[in-house]
Every structure is written in structure tokens, then in C-alpha cells.
Amino acid sequence: VQADGTDGNCVTFVLHDEDHTLGNSLRYMVMKNPDVEFCGYCITHPSESKINFRIQTRGALPAVEPFRKGLNDLMGVCQHVLSTFE
């Protein structure tokens, strides 16, 4: 993961070897946070397996915080689905 951005509350994370599966799920989880003003992602080119994932927060909250929380929440949801399936 690379993080590009001069302002701490508006950062673009570059996720390598990922596609829409993670991008859309993570965007949904991050947007559930009321401190997030904008969250979106794009795939630069169909032949490249990387995502540009952008988060902009309200106030002084650094964008990396909802990014981490979104990843942890998504992991929890996946664990719940797996345990229910098993």
C-alpha cells in the first residue's frame, strides 16, 4: 500500500494486486463512518491489478484511521460469514 497526499485528511491509497472485490467492499465499510466526507476508488487500467482508493475526512481526523477501521471491520464481517458458513 502506498499513500499519496499532502493533506492528512485527504489521501489516495494505492492497493497493489487488488480489484473491484476489495475496492467496493472496502468503500462500503469506510462510507459507514460518519466522519468520512468522501470515499471512492478507481482501477487505473483493466490490465493493471491495482486500485487508487481515495478517502477524505471531515475535520482533523487523518484519513488513515477510517482506512484501518474499514479494513478491520471488513475482516470481521468476512470472519463472521466464514464461521456461519462452516
Side-chain angles (χ1 to χ4, degrees), residues 31-78:
M31 281 304 295
K32 290 174 66 173
N33 187 335
D35 293 325
V36 174
E37 188 171 8
F38 172 81
C39 180
Y41 76 96
C42 69
I43 294 182
T44 56
H45 191 273
S47 67
E48 293 184 49
S49 59
K50 70 176 183 177
I51 295 174
N52 289 335
F53 195 87
R54 187 160 186 87
I55 299 175
Q56 181 175 345
T57 60
R58 294 180 172 88
L61 180 70
V64 71
E65 294 303 320
F67 182 67
R68 281 192 185 124
K69 184 176 180 341
L71 286 170
N72 288 330
D73 291 349
L74 185 58
M75 182 78 78
V77 168
C78 291

Side-chain angles (χ1 to χ4, degrees), residues 15-30 41-43 48-53 70-71 74-75 77-78:
L15 307 173
H16 296 275
D17 298 323
E18 296 298 341
D19 58 10
H20 290 288
T21 304
L22 178 66
N24 199 32
S25 303
L26 184 57
R27 183 196 59 78
Y28 174 78
M29 297 306 282
V30 171
Y41 76 96
C42 69
I43 294 182
E48 293 184 49
S49 59
K50 70 176 183 177
I51 295 174
N52 289 335
F53 195 87
L71 286 170
L74 185 58
M75 182 78 78
V77 168
C78 291

